[in-house]
Amino acid sequence: MQRANGLYPLLLSEGNLARAIEEVNASHRTTRGIPNRFVLWVDETKAERIKELRQIIKAGWEPKPMRSWMHYDKASGKWRQLFEPALWPDQYIHHALVQVLQPVMMRGMDRFCCGSIRGRGAAHGIRAIQHWMEDDPKGTKYAAEADIKKFYNNLKPEVVQQRFRRLVKEQPIMELI
């Protein structure tokens, strides 16, 4: 597979940064029903914020420390440690970067990979298994559900970066990753 190139200009493009601002703002408009003033300000000064984001990325952005807390996940019946990056500029840069990297990461991915992919949650996997069971009951004799305990806690950054180096050619993008 050929490594992706030409992503950095795409990352810095006005359209990509504007879309990142829209995505972050859509999920942070209110907190417990109270409008987020910062998000409103970013919306009102969007053109200036796009220029500012571009400058921050070009200058060599360093992420701020993340906020973490424990959350009980009722669906899985277990406690999860959640981490949240700072809203400005970290989440905006993260969205802009993921928007550019998503097509690169998706091109080698099986269509039945369901985790952390928009539109491919558990329901996507269930529908696929039900379809297989109806169309090929003889060939679909067994199914297994598996979960790797504390997977993200055990991921080594070097391994993830090595995988990205196989996908992405540009050094500025690798530095952001």
Side-chain angles (χ1 to χ4, degrees), residues 141-157:
K141 189 173 182 181
Y142 302 102
E145 182 179 335
D147 190 9
I148 301 170
K149 188 174 183 179
K150 305 227 183 265
F151 173 74
Y152 290 104
N153 297 350
N154 295 318
L155 262 181
K156 291 180 175 59

